[in-house]
Amino acid sequence: MPAVENTIVICAGGACISAGEISVKESLENTLREYALDEVVRVVETGCMGACDLGPIMVIYPEGVFYQKLDSNNVKKVVEEHLLKGRIVKELLYTGPTGEVKEKPQEELPFFKKQVKIATRNLGVVDPLSIEEYIARDGYFALTKVIKEMNPEDVISELKKSGLRGRGGAGFPTGLKWEFARKATGDIKYVICNADEGDPGAFMDRAILEGDPHSVVEAMTIAAYTVGASKGFIYVRAEYPLAIERFSHALKKAREYGFLGENILGSEFSFDIEIRIGAGAFVCGEETALINSIEGKRGIPRVKPPYPAQKGLWGKPTLINNVETYANIPPIILHGGDWFAQFGVEGSRGTKVFALAGKVNNTGLVEVPMGISLRELIYEIGGGVPGGKKLKAVQTGGPSGGCIPEKHIDTPITYDTLKELGTIIGSGGMIVMDEDDCMVDVAKFFLEFTVEESCGQCTPCRDGTKRMLEILERITEGEGTEEDLETLKELSEHIMKTSLCGLGQTAPQPVMSTMRYFWDEYEAHVKEKRCPAKKCKALTRIVIDKEKCVGCTACARVCPVNAITGSVRNPHEIDPEICTRCGSCLEVCRFGAISKVSP
Amino acid sequence: MGKIKSLEELMKIKESTLKELKMRDTDKRGKIIVAMGTCGIAAGAKETLKAIVDILGEKGIDDIAVVQSGCFGLCDVEPTIEVRIGESEPIIYGHVTPSQAKRIVEQHILEGKVVSDLVVKRGEL
C-alpha cells in the first residue's frame, strides 16, 4: 500500500479544463514537491463533477473539502494552509446563492443531495485512466455476470423490466431495441455507440466518456454478447478530443485485462471496438446518417424503414445506442431491472442526466430521478434564477424540443408530460430563460442552428427552414406582417410532415412551441413593432432619464460609437441613429438613469 | 496484468483498489494528526507519517484518517502526533519515531490503551 494519506481529486471535465484545470494541477504538483508532500498526497484527475460553473474544482480527501474557482495562485494557498497547517481556506469554499459558505457541498447542498447518480455514478469519483478504480466500483462485474450466468434472453428481460428508454433523444424502449437486434438474422452483426452529441447545451455524453469510459466499453460488450455481434464502433465527434483520448486508453486497458478481444473472460465470445471520429456535423447524430458516415459515405440520413436493427451498417443488423443509455446498462445488470424501475415514474423509469444552462445559478450536469418537477430542478438543484429576475420559460430537448412556460413549472418531467406540453426530454439540454429573453429571438436562434446544420438532402428541411428563418428575421427587425405569422405556422406543419429524417421533422418545434405559449410576443413584434423583453435590437431604444442623470460622463466614455453626448454635470443624450444598443452604457450608469425601451 | 477469466480474479482487484478509494471516504472512526511544521519535518515527521500509513495499511485499518497539520507548538518534543478517536479526549504524543509510531497504532488504535510514556499532553490544545 502506498504511503498516501491525502487524496486530491481534481475535476478534469471539459469545462474545468477550459477554466484552467491543467495549470491548477501543475501548480498543485509543483507546490506539493516544494513542500516534500508529493509522496504522501496523491493527485487524481476525474471526470466532470457536474458543477461546471464553479470550475476548476477539487476535493481534498479524507476530509472531503470542496474547493472551487481555483487558479494557479490560490491553489498554492490550499497546499500551505490546508495540507500543511490543517486550516481550511474559507474564501475558496463553495458559496451558495444567499452567501452561505459550505465546506462539503457534495453532502449538504441540494445541488448534490437531490441527485441520484446511476449513469454518472463514477464521475468525480474514479480516475478515468485507472481500470482498477473502475473495477473497485463494481466495474466489469456486470459483464462477468452476463457471460458466466446469463443468456441473451435474460439480459433482454432485465432491460425490459427496467423500463429504460433511449437517452439519446427519441426515447425508444431499450429492451425492445436489443430484442429486435437479437432476433434479426445475419451472419455478422454490429454494435454502435452514438457519441455524436450535437445538441446546443447538452454535454452529458462527453462527460461520461471523459470521466467513466469503461462503463461504455463494458455496456457495449454486454450488448454485443446479447445481440450476437462481434464488432463494435463508437462514433465520437472530432470536437471531443479528450473523450477520444480517454476512451482509446480504456479500450487498450480492457483488451489487456481480457474484457475485449478474443475469448472474453475465457469464454467463446469475442468482440472488439473501434473508434470512428466524426467531422462534427449535427445530422450525423441521426442514426442512419451516422451509419453512412462510418461506412465512409457522406453523412446523410437513409429512409426508414428498414431500421438499423434489420439493415444497418453495411446492410447488416446493427444495434445503435447513445452513450448515456449504455452507461445505465451495467448497474441494471448488477442490481436488476426492478431496482432501476424503482426510480422514476410509469413510462419514464430511472434517472436522466440534464445539462442545466442559461439563467440559472448552478449550471452544469445533474442526474435526477425521472418525474422530478421542473421547479425542483430549477430552484432547488439549480439554485433559482440569478439577479432576482423572473423565470419565463425553460427550453428542453435542444433544437428538436420546445419551451415550457413558467406556469407549467410544477409539471413532473417525463417523456409523456413534456410531449403534452409540446416539447421533449430529448438529449437532456435544459436552457433556463428569464424575463429578459425574447421568445421570438429564442426561436430564431434554434432555427439558425437548424438551417446551418441541415444536410440539404430533402427540400422541406433545406429550403423550408431557411424560409422560416427569413420570416423570423423580418419579425425581429420589426418588419413582420400578420401574414408572416400564418406562413410560419403553415411552413412548420409542412416541414414536420414531409421531411425525410427526425431532424427536419422536429426542426420547427422551437417555433411551434413559442407560438403556442408566447403568441402575444409574436403579435407585439408584428402589430405594435414592440419587443416586450426589450431584446430585439431593431425594436428597442436606449434612453437617458434627464431627471436622474447627474452628468458623470461614465456612459459617454464607454460608448464604443460615440453616440452619447453631453457636458460634465449636465444631463447627457443618446443619438438613436448612431446607437447600436450594445448596452455598455447601461452597465456603467450608477444612477439608474439609462434604460431600454420598446419601441 | 494477465487476462482475467473469473469472478474471483476480478474480486481481488476490486478489494485491493477499494482500500485506496476508501482513503477518500469522510466517515472515519478517528484520526491521527501528524505535525508537519518545519520543526516537525526537520525532526523526522515525514518518516513518522510514512510509518503510520504503512502500519495502518499492514493491519488493514481503514477507519482512521491520517491528517497533516502545522506545528503544534511543541517543537522540543518533535515529531509529535495527535490521536483523536471519537469523542474521547485527544492525546498528543512526542518524540514519535517510526518504531514508536508502530507502538501507538498497536496499543492506542487497536487496543484503545494510551501509550503513557510518550504522552506530552492530554485534552484540547
Side-chain angles (χ1 to χ4, degrees), chain A residues 34-339:
Chain A
E34 215 175 284
Y35 288 104
L37 292 172
D38 50 323
E39 284 177 48
V40 287
V41 177
R42 196 160 80 103
V43 179
V44 177
E45 284 184 302
T46 187
C48 180
M49 294 182 184
C52 302
D53 58 331
L54 306 179
I57 298 167
M58 68 186 199
V59 183
I60 299 189
Y61 293 97
E63 303 94 314
V65 176
F66 181 98
Y67 289 113
Q68 53 150 9
K69 294 188 180 159
L70 296 164
D71 60 41
S72 49
N73 298 317
N74 59 29
V75 72
K76 219 174 148 181
K77 189 163 182 192
V78 173
V79 174
E80 288 167 352
E81 287 290 306
H82 186 127
L83 293 175
L84 279 173
K85 299 174 191 158
R87 290 200 288 245
I88 285 170
V89 187
K90 289 225 164 58
E91 72 260 27
L92 296 173
L93 295 176
Y94 175 87
T95 311
T98 49
E100 77 280 17
V101 175
K102 299 275 188 183
E103 261 177 45
K104 299 176 187 171
Q106 280 168 299
E107 292 158 28
E108 297 159 8
L109 281 184
F111 178 80
F112 293 106
K113 214 165 76 183
K114 283 224 151 186
Q115 298 195 45
V116 176
K117 299 204 174 210
I118 297 175
T120 59
R121 63 198 178 278
N122 288 328
L123 301 191
V125 183
V126 303
D127 176 351
L129 297 178
S130 164
I131 190 170
E132 291 87 357
E133 290 200 7
Y134 179 68
I135 293 170
R137 299 266 299 171
D138 293 328
Y140 291 110
F141 278 76
L143 177 67
T144 312
K145 184 175 172 185
V146 165
I147 288 179
K148 307 270 179 203
E149 300 167 17
M150 295 168 84
N151 59 40
E153 282 71 26
D154 299 335
V155 176
I156 289 167
S157 117
E158 283 308 319
L159 278 186
K160 283 185 172 172
K161 255 194 257 171
S162 77
L164 176 67
R165 293 168 67 171
R167 299 297 193 236
F172 191 80
T174 307
L176 211 53
K177 198 179 212 179
W178 287 34
E179 189 173 46
F180 288 152
R182 159 129 195 100
K183 285 188 176 157
T185 45
D187 47 341
I188 299 174
K189 290 183 188 177
Y190 297 102
V191 165
I192 296 178
C193 174
N194 180 349
D196 190 69
E197 190 173 50
D199 267 25
F203 58 98
M204 54 287 290
D205 290 351
R206 175 171 56 75
I208 291 169
L209 286 180
E210 286 174 0
D212 193 20
H214 282 288
S215 69
V216 179
V217 175
E218 183 178 10
M220 287 179 74
T221 314
I222 292 170
Y225 173 85
T226 308
V227 305
S230 52
K231 176 96 199 171
F233 291 94
I234 179 165
Y235 189 89
V236 195
R237 52 174 37 215
E239 289 93 330
Y240 287 178
L242 191 64
I244 294 167
E245 189 187 311
R246 296 205 181 137
F247 196 82
S248 312
H249 184 269
L251 288 180
K252 195 176 126 223
K253 283 286 157 188
R255 283 185 203 116
E256 272 174 34
Y257 277 70
F259 301 130
L260 270 183
E262 298 291 314
N263 302 106
I264 292 172
L265 288 157
S267 72
E268 292 295 298
F269 167 58
S270 301
F271 172 71
D272 211 334
I273 301 171
E274 259 185 59
I275 301 179
R276 283 287 182 274
I277 299 170
F282 181 65
V283 70
C284 287
E286 199 280 334
E287 55 186 14
T288 59
L290 187 151
I291 286 169
N292 269 341
S293 182
I294 293 183
E295 289 178 4
K297 297 179 189 145
R298 204 174 142 198
I300 51 175
R302 299 174 182 177
V303 180
K304 287 194 282 191
Y307 290 93
Q310 271 79 46
K311 250 181 130 187
L313 194 57
W314 291 295
K316 307 290 180 192
T318 302
L319 176 73
I320 176 162
N321 282 119
N322 153 275
V323 173
E324 190 188 333
T325 315
Y326 279 127
N328 280 304
I329 303 288
I332 290 175
I333 299 295
L334 274 186
H335 309 298
D338 291 330
W339 165 83

Side-chain angles (χ1 to χ4, degrees), chain A residues 1 5-7 36-37 39 42 61-63 83-85 125 132-133 138 140 144 148 257 265, chain B residues 1 3-5 10-11 13-14 17 20-21 23-26 46 49-50 53 57 66 68-70:
Chain A
M1 187 163 151
E5 251 319 320
N6 278 104
T7 299
L37 292 172
E39 284 177 48
R42 196 160 80 103
Y61 293 97
E63 303 94 314
L83 293 175
L84 279 173
K85 299 174 191 158
V125 183
E132 291 87 357
E133 290 200 7
D138 293 328
Y140 291 110
T144 312
K148 307 270 179 203
Y257 277 70
L265 288 157
Chain B
M1 182 67 219
K3 298 206 177 203
I4 292 171
K5 294 204 170 79
L10 201 56
M11 206 59 178
I13 301 177
K14 174 176 170 172
T17 317
E20 265 179 61
L21 279 175
M23 292 304 220
R24 301 185 203 160
D25 282 355
T26 49
K46 244 183 111 175
L49 175 72
K50 272 190 195 160
V53 174
V66 183
Q68 299 152 42
S69 78

